[in-house]
Amino acid sequence: MKTKYSLIGLLTAAGVSLAACAAPTAQPAQPAQPSEPAATQAAAPVEISLRWRTRPDNKEEADVYAKISDEVAQKLGVKLTYEPGGSETSSYQDVLRTELAAGTAPDVFWIPGTDIADFVQRGLLLDLRPYANATPGYSDSNYYPEPMFHLTYNPETGKPGEVLWGLPRDVSTFVLYLNMDLINEAGAPDPRELAKEGKWDWAAFKSTAEKVNALGGDIKGYGMNAWWGPYGAFMNAAGGGFFNAERNACNLNSKASLEGLAFARGLYDAGIAVPYGEDSEPPFRAGKVGMFQNGRWATPGISTVTFNWDVVELPKGPSGHMGNWLFWGAYVVNKNTKHPEIAWKLVDALTQADVQAQVAARGTNIPSRVGESVFAEFLKILPDKNNQAFLNGLADKPTAEGPLWTGSWPDFDQVMGAKVSDVLTGKLSVEEFGKTVCDEAGKAFKQ
Amino acid sequence: MTRSTFASASSAPGSGRALTLLAGWHVALSVALVGGALATLNSAAASEALRIAAAIGLALAASGSAAATLFIARRNHLGRTLSLVVNYIVFLACLIGLAHTLGVFMGLDDLADYMARGFPFGMGALFVVGYFISTTALHERPVSLARRNLGRVLMALGAIGFLLTAGVVPALASLPGKYISGNLLPLALTAGVMTTGYLLWSMWRGESARAMGAKNIHTERLNGWLFLSPNLLGFILFFAGPLLFSLYVSFTNWDSFNKRDWVGLDNYRRVFNLTVQALKTANQPAGDVIDVRVYDELLRANLFGQSYLIGAEDKRFWISLRNTLVFGLLAVPLAVIPALALAALLNSRLPGMRFYRTLYFIPSVAAVVGVALIWQWMYNSQVGWINYFITNAISLINSVLGSNIKDPQIRWLADSDYALLSVVIMSAWQWLGFNTVLFLAGLQTIPRELYEAATVDGANPGQQFFNVTLPMLAPTTLYVLTTTTIQALQVFDQVFIVSNGTGGPGTSTLTMTLNLYQNGFQSFRQGYASALAWVLFVVIFAFTLFQFRRQRRASGAYDM
């Protein structure tokens, strides 16, 4: 009996293995494909694997991309495989880099703006300029100029415009998400009105945070998360920044950068901010934080809260600007793709206005194309909210989230992030930070 | 039957002609494998390291095959062993290569996805139902033949339906196309599978064994190696191979993509490069005494009134080493001592103990990522449960006792003074259950007679614990301590999740494995990361060796 069962098991296993020889053809939808002759197979649609990043807890966005993938496939007459990338916490970039090293990365993929230089200098991306030049209607000026500077930067000549490493998927920028119930209860002036009147600056912002904080209990006036974006905005608003103008040296110890950091530190010293290092989103969503600094990607999650919420642009700092970021990421093409032309067509199709509008409708990001019609469409999303705050942020000289063409961004960020964390948690003074940070972070520029 | 009479002129397995043919096969195989090794070395199809590794593997197989030829010619049983080993490896290589060429692995992936959703799953269920009916019928008295046959029919229908719906028919139809597509590889691999398969069968048979002078002990050894082979091959391919590769990489500046220059011991030099400089004043800037283009200030110390500054070329390595050791020093006792106490409690015969044994084991089988995320929420200083309980407890104490204890509002993961401790508590909690089960198993092997004798001698429970339980648990304790220490020194998942991969706040949760990961997979310094991995290996090895030696001394003392 045991022999019989072993034989049946063996035969079944062999059968399954055999069936696997033609598994893609074994699916009910396409039963005849596996047995097609080789000549027919050669004429079959070209298969391109596509992966891009989705944000955590956002399956809906992944579904939108899957739908777009099907539509683009039909439009281009090719077969696309959409692979939803992992969330931010599952190290999307680390996984992608490992796949690139192993030669198993997809043909087209999304990477954040900070990674462009690293990927280009390791020879991982295809220059799309020849394909773009041959495409009617294509122009670099269709997109925000800040990301296009980096996406067209030629590291060999040091000039922009000569090459094309990809096209921006979307852009985003910081705003302050407001708990209007808390702000009204605290008797603070409406930040949106102050912004309209041009009175929304650091002093007004701090005053509002203090008033909300004074409500007592575990209520906090302000919250931001622990990464380079939020504190970088304070440095930018003070007129400083991470790098010098040429982006080839550390600028964290400049007077303006330190002023911005000192202002941020003051929020923590005064106890009006959610402790640095804590995720500020849960307490904000729990109705315990007056103002929460984050990008457009936080909108879907926050839109589910039960209190009265809205957004306002960042307050203006001593430089007279908000110091906001222009966050962006791009679709790029794997240098080892076997179908470079189709891959370019895919990238181009994915960044068309109608496709970007479908994604933007989810509320997670802002189209990377420029133009009044694009802005008008964006303003229609969540019409009762102050969408204009995002556009104002993008219009007020934002600093583009940018790669380091003459250094290593991960190395720079590791040193800067640890030191800033020490400052904002009270372990290191701003002065000490200024004395040592560039000695350590500056080593990132050696490479 | 003597060897000479067995080696007759027939071509049956083990016959003289068959063995001569087999020797010829091994000559041809040796030549082919040497050719393959040379071709692999000169190929540009894969990375250099892979080519070298493959060429070494092929050369070793060629040597084995050549040696097999000689021993077979002498009718030495070693020839049979070598022939079986070489043919087994070639058979597996051809089989895996054929499966890959025919797209079986990718297809299985697709099938798994399809079957989880589709009809074949139902067919599989039919097979299981048939099996159930058939086997239960056998247990009836009298045996219900009708039900047994019904079960068999259902099983057959299920198996056939399963294969049909999984697509075996179109697959079979597509197979010839893959063989006649102009690519000779599937044909060659199939020939390889069939040839080596036949030779394996032939050489395995008793006639061949006797003809080659193999004794029962040789056959038993081969059986042992055969059973061991899946694990052994897996170990060589997926553990020992990468381990040696990482040692090689640690002497290069490989970035995973392009450059891989031999840099000798430079990575190790950078890891350990320190400078110690005397300071004129305690606050003298680091830039005055060390070259800040190379070194970062690691720490300042005062010895006998003289201030010193220690600089490190890789400051993060030393910080991660300190954090890892502190983590181990805190987490190991926390995960071991309470586990022993808990095991002693669960070893009692109180009602409900089985339920509690299961309950305490649950954290050990829970996914680390899920556990870390839940703890992250609990640790939130604003809306987390831990601070909520602390606040309420303090309020209660203050109201009952009239005291004025201040709520500390600990920022568990946001304060660098508490972050590592938070991870220690979380990890110890998760490891506790597994250690408890190990201790429990150890406790249950201690003979009751020892306790009875101790009771007769007048030992109280405390004395029994220290003089009977602990010494008898020594081997379990060593195992628990060793495995927990290794786990602690390799801590990664927990810190990666709670610090979002940064090792923050500051560098307070930067452990050696996280630092290694950041270097290898974020900054893509694979060479340097490999060097860090080997340093970590040495640290763990040193700790383990220390524990073993200590245990040996303790055991010796006990034995005396």
Side-chain angles (χ1 to χ4, degrees):
Chain A
M1 183 61 85
K2 277 184 181 174
T3 315
K4 274 185 187 172
Y5 285 138
S6 301
L7 197 63
I8 292 172
L10 203 66
L11 284 172
T12 309
V16 170
S17 300
L18 274 174
C21 294
T25 63
Q27 293 184 15
Q30 299 160 318
Q33 276 185 10
S35 54
E36 283 177 352
T40 317
Q41 285 179 354
V46 177
E47 186 171 343
I48 292 180
S49 193
L50 179 67
R51 178 189 295 153
W52 59 85
R53 188 184 197 187
T54 53
R55 295 194 185 284
D57 304 322
N58 199 340
K59 186 182 175 303
E60 292 79 8
E61 189 176 286
D63 291 342
V64 170
Y65 281 124
K67 181 171 162 281
I68 288 169
S69 182
D70 292 342
E71 289 171 4
V72 173
Q74 201 170 12
K75 189 174 156 191
L76 297 179
V78 296
K79 183 179 176 186
L80 296 180
T81 304
Y82 165 57
E83 303 169 12
S87 66
E88 280 179 302
T89 51
S90 65
S91 307
Y92 170 87
Q93 290 114 295
D94 304 347
V95 172
L96 181 63
R97 283 175 175 154
T98 309
E99 288 176 342
L100 282 162
T104 56
D107 297 83
V108 174
F109 47 86
W110 177 93
I111 54 174
T114 46
D115 281 1
I116 289 287
D118 190 33
F119 278 58
V120 168
Q121 287 167 347
R122 292 183 197 279
L124 306 176
L125 305 185
L126 184 73
D127 177 12
L128 300 170
R129 180 57 74 192
Y131 306 101
N133 287 347
T135 303
Y138 172 80
S139 168
D140 290 353
S141 61
N142 290 339
Y143 304 90
Y144 280 92
E146 292 89 351
M148 291 313 288
F149 173 87
H150 295 291
L151 283 170
T152 61
Y153 185 84
N154 185 347
E156 289 176 9
T157 62
K159 291 178 185 170
E162 296 179 343
V163 291
L164 183 64
W165 301 118
L167 293 178
R169 182 188 77 171
D170 50 41
V171 297
S172 195
T173 193
F174 276 143
V175 290
L176 287 170
Y177 287 87
L178 306 171
N179 182 331
M180 290 310 299
D181 290 347
L182 284 181
I183 290 170
N184 291 335
E185 188 184 341
D190 187 336
R192 297 167 298 183
E193 295 304 321
L194 291 173
K196 277 181 196 165
E197 295 163 14
K199 295 176 182 170
W200 185 233
D201 54 17
W202 278 8
F205 159 71
K206 193 170 180 182
S207 166
T208 305
E210 284 168 344
K211 283 179 180 164
V212 172
N213 208 65
L215 290 171
D218 49 6
I219 303 292
K220 292 288 177 189
Y222 166 76
M224 69 178 186
N225 285 341
W227 58 289
W228 57 264
Y231 60 76
F234 286 111
M235 292 184 184
N236 294 340
F242 297 162
F243 316 118
N244 63 356
E246 292 75 32
R247 299 175 67 85
N248 58 12
C250 170
N251 188 44
L252 293 165
N253 58 359
S254 70
K255 192 181 168 190
S257 297
L258 295 177
E259 186 185 358
L261 190 60
F263 179 77
R265 161 82 179 249
L267 300 172
Y268 292 97
D269 286 348
I272 57 178
V274 176
Y276 189 77
E278 298 279 4
D279 186 353
S280 293
E281 190 163 341
F284 179 79
R285 288 171 68 166
K288 294 178 182 294
V289 177
M291 295 178 284
F292 170 49
Q293 183 175 335
N294 214 335
R296 179 71 178 184
W297 55 83
T299 300
I302 286 173
S303 63
T304 61
V305 299
T306 51
F307 55 80
N308 179 23
W309 71 276
D310 203 349
V311 295
V312 67
E313 54 256 48
L314 294 187
K316 291 189 175 173
S319 70
H321 297 286
M322 301 172 200
N324 218 324
W325 293 102
L326 191 153
F327 299 108
W328 60 281
Y331 289 125
V332 293
V333 175
N334 187 338
K335 188 155 191 181
N336 293 324
T337 182
K338 290 176 183 166
H339 316 287
E341 196 161 356
I342 299 169
W344 156 253
K345 283 182 181 172
L346 176 60
V347 169
D348 188 40
L350 287 171
T351 52
Q352 292 300 313
D354 57 329
V355 172
Q356 292 193 333
Q358 285 188 58
V359 184
R362 279 286 315 139
T364 52
N365 51 32
I366 305 164
S368 62
R369 285 183 170 254
V370 290
E372 288 307 318
S373 59
V374 177
F375 298 153
E377 285 300 314
F378 173 70
L379 291 172
K380 288 179 190 169
I381 302 162
L382 294 170
D384 60 323
K385 303 298 175 194
N386 183 21
N387 287 316
Q388 186 62 43
F390 291 96
L391 298 183
N392 291 348
L394 290 171
D396 186 34
K397 292 192 174 177
T399 304
E401 167 189 14
L404 272 184
W405 291 98
T406 56
S408 164
W409 165 255
D411 288 356
F412 187 87
D413 186 33
Q414 271 174 13
V415 176
M416 173 179 70
K419 290 252 176 199
V420 169
S421 170
D422 282 344
V423 171
L424 298 182
T425 54
K427 308 290 179 195
L428 184 72
S429 70
V430 175
E431 291 72 28
E432 279 299 314
F433 172 87
K435 282 180 192 168
T436 58
V437 69
C438 280
D439 286 341
E440 294 186 29
K443 291 188 180 75
F445 291 96
K446 278 183 183 173
Q447 300 171 17
Chain B
M1 186 181 290
T2 62
R3 201 184 303 168
S4 56
T5 52
F6 186 81
S8 64
S10 76
S11 58
S15 67
R17 183 182 294 175
L19 292 177
T20 307
L21 282 173
L22 186 67
W25 156 257
H26 277 291
V27 170
L29 186 63
S30 303
V31 173
L33 289 169
V34 168
L38 292 173
T40 306
L41 273 180
N42 295 320
S43 157
S47 69
E48 188 187 354
L50 268 180
R51 280 187 280 125
I52 291 172
I56 290 172
L58 288 169
L60 283 174
S63 310
S65 188
T69 312
L70 292 175
F71 286 118
I72 289 170
R74 293 178 193 170
R75 300 294 188 265
N76 186 314
H77 73 89
L78 278 176
R80 177 175 177 260
T81 306
L82 281 170
S83 172
L84 284 170
V85 169
V86 171
N87 282 329
Y88 179 61
I89 291 170
V90 175
F91 173 80
L92 285 180
C94 288
L95 190 66
I96 292 168
L98 182 65
H100 174 72
T101 313
L102 297 179
V104 168
F105 299 121
M106 297 291 282
L108 280 175
D109 205 28
D110 289 338
L111 264 183
D113 182 43
Y114 165 54
M115 280 198 283
R117 295 178 280 114
F119 191 56
F121 188 72
M123 287 291 120
L126 190 65
F127 182 88
V128 172
V129 169
Y131 176 78
F132 182 74
I133 292 171
S134 175
T135 47
T136 51
L138 290 175
H139 292 286
E140 286 183 8
R141 290 293 175 271
V143 172
S144 169
L145 288 177
R147 278 187 59 194
R148 193 187 68 177
N149 290 336
L150 173 69
R152 285 181 173 178
V153 169
L154 285 177
M155 280 170 71
L157 284 176
I160 294 166
F162 180 84
L163 291 174
L164 286 176
T165 49
V168 76
V169 173
L172 285 171
S174 72
L175 271 182
K178 292 184 178 177
Y179 278 100
I180 57 170
S181 63
N183 184 1
L184 290 177
L185 194 58
L187 275 176
L189 290 170
T190 306
V193 168
M194 294 175 77
T195 307
T196 50
Y198 171 75
L199 291 173
L200 275 173
W201 169 80
S202 158
M203 204 56 167
W204 188 259
R205 291 172 67 86
E207 295 92 325
S208 304
R210 284 190 289 275
M212 292 296 297
K215 296 175 183 169
N216 274 344
I217 192 168
H218 300 134
T219 307
E220 278 176 20
R221 276 184 198 153
L222 277 174
N223 281 337
W225 283 106
L226 183 66
F227 278 108
L228 194 64
S229 64
N231 187 280
L232 185 68
L233 290 173
F235 174 82
I236 292 169
L237 277 175
F238 300 115
F239 188 81
L243 201 70
L244 289 174
F245 181 64
S246 83
L247 182 63
Y248 160 71
V249 169
S250 73
F251 298 111
T252 71
N253 62 354
W254 191 39
D255 69 348
S256 291
F257 300 103
N258 302 305
K259 62 178 181 182
R260 187 170 59 228
D261 302 323
W262 182 265
V263 295
L265 290 169
D266 195 56
N267 286 328
Y268 293 95
R269 181 202 61 74
R270 192 177 159 220
V271 171
F272 294 111
N273 188 10
L274 290 171
T275 180
V276 182
Q277 299 294 334
L279 296 171
K280 288 176 186 165
T281 62
N283 297 325
Q284 188 180 7
D288 292 354
V289 290
I290 60 172
D291 183 354
V292 292
R293 290 168 302 174
V294 177
Y295 299 101
D296 291 327
E297 180 181 332
L298 184 62
L299 63 91
R300 290 172 189 244
N302 192 303
L303 283 178
F304 309 112
Q306 171 64 52
S307 294
Y308 293 93
L309 182 148
I310 303 176
E313 185 168 351
D314 184 5
K315 178 181 169 179
R316 293 174 72 83
F317 163 74
W318 294 100
I319 291 170
S320 70
L321 179 63
R322 181 199 63 195
N323 289 346
T324 305
L325 294 179
V326 170
F327 181 88
L329 281 172
L330 295 174
V332 173
L334 267 179
V336 173
I337 297 169
L340 180 57
L342 204 58
L345 194 68
L346 293 175
N347 197 33
S348 61
R349 294 177 185 276
L350 294 173
M353 277 303 126
R354 287 191 176 179
F355 170 73
Y356 283 108
R357 284 174 197 170
T358 312
L359 195 69
Y360 283 107
F361 193 65
I362 288 175
S364 307
V365 293
V368 178
V369 174
V371 167
L373 284 171
I374 290 168
W375 275 88
Q376 200 175 16
W377 273 72
M378 295 205 306
Y379 275 135
N380 190 298
S381 68
Q382 296 290 113
V383 292
W385 281 98
I386 294 175
N387 273 6
Y388 174 78
F389 281 120
I390 291 174
T391 304
N392 282 332
I394 288 174
S395 299
L396 183 68
I397 291 167
N398 284 342
S399 61
V400 171
L401 303 179
S403 56
N404 192 24
I405 302 169
K406 196 182 168 196
D407 182 0
Q409 277 293 313
I410 300 169
R411 294 179 290 153
W412 292 97
L413 295 175
D415 188 330
S416 53
D417 292 339
Y418 290 96
L420 194 63
L421 178 67
S422 306
V423 184
V424 165
I425 294 169
M426 179 174 77
S427 305
W429 174 81
Q430 195 172 20
W431 298 338
L432 188 69
F434 188 69
N435 289 346
T436 303
V437 169
L438 291 175
F439 276 128
L440 193 58
L443 283 172
Q444 289 177 349
T445 61
I446 300 175
R448 296 222 141 265
E449 292 78 8
L450 290 177
Y451 292 103
E452 288 165 8
T455 307
V456 169
D457 288 345
N460 62 32
Q463 288 169 323
Q464 287 182 21
F465 180 78
F466 285 105
N467 295 305
V468 178
T469 308
L470 275 188
M472 293 303 290
L473 266 183
T476 311
T477 310
L478 172 71
Y479 179 76
V480 170
L481 269 176
T482 306
T483 52
T484 310
T485 305
I486 292 171
Q487 258 184 313
L489 296 179
Q490 290 181 332
V491 63
F492 174 76
D493 314 48
Q494 294 91 336
V495 289
F496 187 83
I497 298 296
V498 299
S499 74
N500 205 13
T502 63
T507 49
S508 59
T509 59
L510 181 72
T511 59
M512 288 183 79
T513 40
L514 183 58
N515 187 37
L516 186 161
Y517 177 83
Q518 287 178 343
N519 272 285
F521 295 94
Q522 290 178 341
S523 298
F524 271 74
R525 286 188 284 263
Q526 291 287 356
Y528 190 68
S530 297
L532 289 173
W534 278 93
V535 172
L536 176 62
F537 168 76
V538 170
V539 171
I540 291 174
F541 186 76
F543 268 92
T544 310
L545 198 66
F546 171 74
Q547 281 174 333
F548 269 92
R549 293 205 162 192
R550 201 165 160 273
Q551 168 65 19
R552 194 177 296 164
R553 275 205 300 274
S555 303
Y558 178 68
D559 290 340
M560 284 166 72

